Amino acid sequence: LEADPTLLRIARVPRTRPLRGEVDAYPRPPLRPEEQSKLPFRSPVVTIMGHVDHGKTSLLDSWRNTDVVSEEAGAITQHIGAFKVDCPSGATITFLDTPGHEAFSHMRRRGAQATDVVVLVVAIDDGVQPQTVESIKHIQSAGVPMVVAVTKCDKGRSALKTIKKDLRAHNVQLEEWGGDVACVPVSAHTKEGMAELEEAIVAMAEVHELRADAQGAAEALVVESRRDAHMGSVVTALVKRGTLR
């Protein structure tokens, strides 16, 4: 794979033969600020997090016009999904979709550590739940910015104020109360609020001036690994720097 210098590429890399000789497992020294500022911009890596069945994958399906949720066991995401979306506005966003079930806590933690921005999904008809709270803790521990998406708003908005109060109780500082976290009501079914959510994500990325260095050997973050009967060990990785050949 040859990395595009304007974004982080996603790669599924099978290891077809054992590693031999010396392996350089250490990252190169970081670039100086004046060097970093000359690199081309890249698209943001955005992780979708939240409680099980709060509409995370359905939200992503509405962006990419697919129906991945119906392919998952019990309509619940079983692994970290990773893909790139070309949004209607012309922006490109790389998404990580993390499982919401309580059994997948370690996957959510990895998702928070691998991302530039987190979209915290809360369903309007279910509110703040245990995995919502756990996701907030992972986000705050990783120190990454977040945007709150209140999903399923085609069912009504009567619980919106309660959800905002519950988020504040867990130290999520929303913009309307003087904080820096945008809260966007959305519906994957009707597309309501999707443009506003995309705008909030892109605005967050622009503030942080995300750039990528495509020169040299690849440095990647493994977000998931598995054993394949035909290919052996397979990983899903985000190329953070350099080019994977």
Side-chain angles (χ1 to χ4, degrees), residues 71-152:
E71 300 171 6
E72 300 285 0
I76 297 172
T77 300
Q78 303 290 311
H79 56 83
I80 294 181
F83 52 88
K84 183 178 69 174
V85 169
D86 294 319
C87 298
S89 68
T92 300
I93 301 175
T94 300
F95 283 105
L96 298 180
D97 178 19
T98 62
H101 192 275
E102 61 182 349
F104 298 101
S105 174
H106 62 290
M107 286 192 182
R108 287 191 293 278
R109 182 167 58 250
R110 286 206 306 274
Q113 293 168 345
T115 193
D116 300 310
V117 179
V118 172
V119 174
L120 178 68
V121 170
V122 185
I124 193 75
D125 59 350
D126 204 22
V128 175
Q129 294 295 322
Q131 273 68 62
T132 314
V133 176
E134 182 207 76
S135 295
I136 292 171
K137 292 179 179 178
H138 289 326
I139 296 165
Q140 293 171 340
S141 175
V144 295
M146 80 170 86
V147 176
V148 175
V150 182
T151 58
K152 307 184 183 182

Side-chain angles (χ1 to χ4, degrees), residues 47-227:
T47 299
I48 310 295
M49 300 180 71
H51 192 73
V52 63
D53 199 31
H54 274 204
K56 297 183 299 299
T57 305
S58 295
L59 192 69
L60 294 172
D61 288 346
S62 70
W63 259 310
R64 56 183 178 168
N65 296 316
T66 62
D67 187 22
V68 173
V69 67
S70 65
E71 300 171 6
E72 300 285 0
I76 297 172
T77 300
Q78 303 290 311
H79 56 83
I80 294 181
F83 52 88
K84 183 178 69 174
V85 169
D86 294 319
C87 298
S89 68
T92 300
I93 301 175
T94 300
F95 283 105
L96 298 180
D97 178 19
T98 62
H101 192 275
E102 61 182 349
F104 298 101
S105 174
H106 62 290
M107 286 192 182
R108 287 191 293 278
R109 182 167 58 250
R110 286 206 306 274
Q113 293 168 345
T115 193
D116 300 310
V117 179
V118 172
V119 174
L120 178 68
V121 170
V122 185
I124 193 75
D125 59 350
D126 204 22
V128 175
Q129 294 295 322
Q131 273 68 62
T132 314
V133 176
E134 182 207 76
S135 295
I136 292 171
K137 292 179 179 178
H138 289 326
I139 296 165
Q140 293 171 340
S141 175
V144 295
M146 80 170 86
V147 176
V148 175
V150 182
T151 58
K152 307 184 183 182
C153 281
D154 51 290
K155 297 182 178 181
R157 301 194 181 193
S158 59
L160 188 55
K161 288 185 178 179
T162 299
I163 289 173
K164 290 179 178 180
K165 289 180 181 178
D166 290 344
L167 289 170
R168 184 167 61 175
H170 293 284
N171 202 31
V172 177
Q173 305 299 323
L174 301 180
E175 288 179 341
E176 61 193 88
W177 291 326
D180 57 2
V181 178
C183 182
V184 185
V186 299
S187 168
H189 178 65
T190 66
K191 308 287 188 179
E192 175 190 0
M194 295 299 295
E196 290 79 3
L197 179 57
E198 177 193 331
E199 182 181 334
I201 293 171
V202 172
M204 188 74 71
E206 288 176 349
V207 167
H208 289 81
E209 293 193 347
L210 304 173
R211 298 174 183 270
D213 177 13
Q215 304 303 312
E219 296 176 15
L221 177 66
V222 174
V223 294
E224 189 176 37
S225 62
R226 62 184 175 86
R227 292 281 299 176

